[in-house]
Structures are given as structure tokens and as C-alpha cells.
Amino acid sequence: MTGTNKNELTNLPSDETQPIIVLVNPQMGENIGATARAMLNCGLCHLRIVNPRDGWPNERANAMSSGALDLMPPVQVFETLGDAIADCHTIYATTARPRDLVKPVLTPRFAAQDISELIDNKQKIAILFGAERAGLTNDEVAFAHKIISIPLNPGFSSLNLGQSVLLVAYEWSQRVFSAPEEHLPTGKSQPATAAEFNNFFNRLDQELIASRFYRVDEMKDIISRNIKSLFQRTNLTDQEINTLHGILTSLTTHRQKQD
Amino acid sequence: MTGTNKNELTNLPSDETQPIIVLVNPQMGENIGATARAMLNCGLCHLRIVNPRDGWPNERANAMSSGALDLMPPVQVFETLGDAIADCHTIYATTARPRDLVKPVLTPRFAAQDISELIDNKQKIAILFGAERAGLTNDEVAFAHKIISIPLNPGFSSLNLGQSVLLVAYEWSQRVFSAPEEHLPTGKSQPATAAEFNNFFNRLDQELIASRFYRVDEMKDIISRNIKSLFQRTNLTDQEINTLHGILTSLTTHRQKQD
């Protein structure tokens, strides 16, 4: 059953702007499915598998992929790791434990930058992930130019396969799906103008004077400024200013009726 | 069964240098277990759950946690979200879809920095994750000061609960478990000195002259420099220099026998 998709390689629309994920000797279909889902979450769609224990296609992989396998180009299956990476230029191996091999070790974040630069130089990139129990063998790591190692809690660093793929793919994705570090979406509202804000605050201040909130004249200015800061800090929208006017009307009307 | 650990809160050794993860109305024990594993991978150990559908403790959660739940302080169970966050100062809500609530939206990376700064200011922080099917309700999000939204493939952005926790916790962890962006571990070997390198290269160069490798005299210097660059680029270790000397000896001895 392995090798069935092998010849489809050259027929695929090849998206050379992203790295190829290669699972080497994966055991459980569930983990292949979780890998596909994590990849597509992060915008990656080229998955190759070497010698999957339970063959391919795999129903459990389909179920766990939450539809990702249907949306991605067909998974390519190879009998050997050498075949799977034959057309790639730079190979990264993901490993959790240190190896007795002298290779550059990169964080996933730096690897994402490194891969991005190589792809800009027209390279085709493969990232290898090993079998569930022990990861890549040293012979498999020897195929790679560089190692990616995820810095995690040294006392509890064992990730499952899908999670490892997720973290490496996520770092890649953060170069692609950018978002502002922080923003304040206001929906249909607009940020309030200074005039809208000051109209509200001055009205509040007048109501507080009228209701004898400022008991000590000497403190009035300080307290008033602190209250102004409190409302300024919230970056009010025009809709919220209207709501605050309504609150003020409601509370003062109620108070006046009580008087 | 909910609420049983509630009173243990004040008895716990409180590690106030990390945020608290709060699962709100989680359904499947497996996801609570995966959450615990992802948290401990990233060095987080304070997990609170609000109204878990299948009660607590949960055997499936234990199995999926790969031992994390045994290593962490006991999970704290609360009946309401308000109870779960009562002692926290700043609350973050994780959401995948935009809400009609005007709150700052942060990337996980910026949130990790933001949380770190607040913790430095002695704040206790909670990060809320919603139930599996639809995430946090708007009423639950309303408890939060800020929203964390993970920028992913907009065409396929649905993460499972454990994966969402993993990515947010991972960003936190990268501020704690730092590693050099790139390093070249050499094990018991040492990087070769310039003298070791040049001794090897000069010997190689002499052997290439002797074996008439440089056929065109005018090109000799250029070709020699290019070969030197090739070996320089690999950042050889002392052990590797020894190996290359051995290779050279072996190849030249063999050649001499053939002569």
C-alpha cells in the first residue's frame, strides 16, 4: 500500500513557497490526521509519509484530520526517507533529545526565518518528524542539514507527534498570517472623538458638583482629574459615550425623583 | 463532584510567577488531560476547571495527560467562572472568532509579553479557554480584560482545545525556556583551531598537487580557494579533522599501491 501516490508527485500543482512536512515511519493513523490538521491550521499543505505502519490511506487519519486531508493535495507516500526527500535542497530534522551528531541546532522560531530565507532563494525544504515512540533514528537525522529542537520544560518535554508538528508549523505560520500585536476592534462603533469624550466628562463633572460629590473643595481638581483618567484609559467608542450619557440621565433622574 | 477542590486553593503553594489556565465548561476528559500535558510541556502547572461536564477527577483526563496531572498541583474545580477567577487581577479570554465586544485583541506572542509584565507587577493572571464546540460564550468573554486570538489559516482555523492551550502556553514558555537561536553542539569534540584546519588543508592541497588534480596552473589558486571554502564552511571539529586526515591517508595509500 505504500508507494501508491509516489508517481503523483510530478503531477501535483507544486506550491514551492512552503516547506514540506515528512513523517518518517509513523505508526498511528490518528497522529497522521492530527498532523494534517495542525499543518492546514498553519497554512501548510504538503505532507509526505515514509513507510506508514498501517498503510495508506488510513480511515483513522481521515477522521482525526477534521477535513484537512480532503482539502490538502494528496499525501505522498514513499518507501524510503531517501526517496521522500530526493527533490529537496535543505532538510531539517526535528529532535527532542541531543544527538551525537555535529549539526546546527535551531529553535523553531529561528528555523522559520531560516526556511523562509532559503525558500526565497528557490530552495525546496523538507522538515522531518520521527516515529511516535522514539522520534527520528540517528541514521534518519543524518539525512538532515540542520536540527530543529523545541525549547520546552526540560523536566517534561515529551510532545506527541501532532503537537510537535503544530509548534513547528505555527512558527512558520506566524511569518505568513500576521496580525497586529494588539488592536482594539470597535465593530460598527467608532472611537469617540475628544469632543464627544469631553462633552460627556464635563456633563458628569457638573452632575457630580450638583450632587455634592466633591465634599472638600481643595481636593476637587485632583479627584476630578483622576475620574477623567479612569474614563480616558478605556478608549471609549461613540456608542459607549451614548451609553454613559444614558446611565447619567437615568441615575440623575432617579435621584431627582427621590429628592 | 464539582467544587471539591475549591477549598484547597488557599493551601496550595502558590507559584505566582506564571499564569493560571482556566477551562470553562470543558466536555471531554481527554481534552483536560491534553491541556495538562501541553501546560506542563510549557512549564505551566496551575489548572482550574469550571463545571466539567463529566465531573472530576476523570480517568480519561489522567490517561491523556501522560503523567502531567500527577506532577502538577491538584486541579482546582469551581462551579462558576466568577469563583474561578475571583483572586485574579487580569483576565485573558482566548477566542477564535471576533466578538461584538470592544476589548483589546492580542496575539499569543504579545500576550505572553503583556502577561509577563503584569506578573512582574505582582498581578495574578488567568487565561480562559471555552468549551470544545463553540469556545467561550460572550457572557464568559465579558469577564475578561483582554482577548487572545491566534492568527492562523483563515480558511481552516479551528484548533482543538489542547492545541489552543499548547500554542498560548508555548508562547509563554519561549520567554522562560530560552535557547540560542542557533548553536552547533560538538559533544566531546572541540571546534578545530585555525592551525588544525590549515594543517589539514595544506596537506590536502599538497596531495592534490602531487596527484595532478590541478591540471591547469592558472586555475590552481581559484580552485584551491574554493575547496578551502567548502571545508571552512562546515565549522569542522578537531575530531573531524582527524577523520579527514585518516581519509586522506587511506585514499593516498590506496592510490600509491595502485601505482
Side-chain angles (χ1 to χ4, degrees), chain A residues 37 40-41 103-107 109-110 151 153 156 158-160 170-171 174 177 181-184, chain B residues 37 40-41 103-107 109-110 151-153 156 158-160 170-171 174 177 181-184:
Chain A
R37 180 178 180 179
L40 199 58
N41 282 147
K103 288 183 195 290
V105 177
L106 283 60
T107 61
R109 189 160 302 171
F110 185 70
N153 180 356
F156 193 82
S158 167
L159 289 169
N160 80 16
Y170 165 76
E171 285 287 3
Q174 296 312 285
F177 304 113
E181 288 188 334
E182 177 170 359
H183 71 289
L184 187 71
Chain B
R37 180 177 178 178
L40 199 56
N41 282 148
K103 287 183 196 292
V105 176
L106 282 59
T107 62
R109 191 159 301 172
F110 186 69
L152 290 172
N153 179 357
F156 193 82
S158 167
L159 288 170
N160 79 17
Y170 166 77
E171 285 288 4
Q174 296 311 286
F177 303 113
E181 288 188 335
E182 176 172 359
H183 72 290
L184 186 71

Side-chain angles (χ1 to χ4, degrees), chain B residues 1-9 12 22-23 26 32 47-58 74-81 83-84:
Chain B
M1 197 173 290
T2 59
T4 46
N5 290 12
K6 207 166 165 179
N7 294 329
E8 294 178 14
L9 174 59
L12 276 180
V22 181
L23 301 186
I32 304 173
L47 175 59
R48 298 179 180 184
I49 50 184
V50 177
N51 191 31
R53 185 191 66 187
D54 297 337
W56 194 259
N58 181 307
V75 170
Q76 300 172 319
V77 184
F78 297 85
E79 288 179 22
T80 70
L81 175 53
D83 288 342

Side-chain angles (χ1 to χ4, degrees), chain B residues 213-230:
Chain B
F213 172 78
Y214 299 115
R215 300 187 185 208
V216 184
D217 276 356
E218 296 75 36
M219 296 294 286
K220 192 269 175 194
D221 285 356
I222 295 173
I223 295 172
S224 176
R225 272 199 307 271
N226 288 347
I227 295 169
K228 192 170 185 176
S229 288
L230 178 166

Side-chain angles (χ1 to χ4, degrees), chain A residues 86-234:
Chain A
D87 60 337
C88 298
H89 302 101
T90 301
I91 318 298
Y92 295 74
T94 54
T95 72
R97 35 196 185 86
R99 310 296 180 118
D100 280 342
L101 296 164
V102 180
K103 288 183 195 290
V105 177
L106 283 60
T107 61
R109 189 160 302 171
F110 185 70
Q113 176 187 328
D114 194 47
I115 290 169
S116 177
E117 290 166 3
L118 294 175
I119 286 175
D120 286 346
N121 286 327
K122 311 295 181 201
Q123 288 206 18
K124 185 175 273 195
I125 306 297
I127 309 177
L128 315 183
F129 292 83
E132 285 88 339
R133 283 190 186 278
L136 294 166
T137 65
N138 279 353
D139 280 344
E140 290 160 355
V141 174
F143 277 89
H145 299 83
K146 305 183 188 189
I147 287 174
I148 300 175
S149 188
I150 309 174
L152 291 172
N153 180 356
F156 193 82
S157 63
S158 167
L159 289 169
N160 80 16
L161 181 52
Q163 288 171 316
S164 301
V165 173
L166 177 64
L167 291 181
V168 172
Y170 165 76
E171 285 287 3
W172 168 262
S173 77
Q174 296 312 285
R175 304 182 64 83
V176 180
F177 304 113
S178 60
E181 288 188 334
E182 177 170 359
H183 71 289
L184 187 71
T186 54
K188 293 171 187 165
S189 308
Q190 297 295 319
T193 62
E196 287 166 337
F197 177 81
N198 289 318
N199 283 344
F200 161 72
F201 182 75
N202 291 338
R203 182 180 161 211
L204 173 65
D205 203 42
Q206 290 306 314
E207 293 288 358
L208 292 178
I209 291 167
S211 66
R212 299 192 187 94
F213 171 81
Y214 300 114
R215 301 189 182 202
V216 184
D217 276 355
E218 296 76 33
M219 297 294 287
K220 194 268 176 195
D221 286 355
I222 294 173
I223 294 172
S224 176
R225 272 199 307 271
N226 288 346
I227 295 169
K228 192 170 187 177
S229 288
L230 177 166
F231 283 102
Q232 278 281 25
R233 214 162 64 219
T234 63

Side-chain angles (χ1 to χ4, degrees), chain A residues 183-188, chain B residues 93-103 105 128-131 133-142 147-149:
Chain A
H183 71 289
L184 187 71
T186 54
K188 293 171 187 165
Chain B
T94 55
T95 73
R97 32 195 190 88
R99 310 296 181 116
D100 281 342
L101 296 164
V102 181
K103 287 183 196 292
V105 176
L128 314 183
F129 291 83
R133 283 190 188 277
L136 294 165
T137 66
N138 279 353
D139 280 344
E140 290 160 354
V141 175
I147 287 174
I148 300 175
S149 189

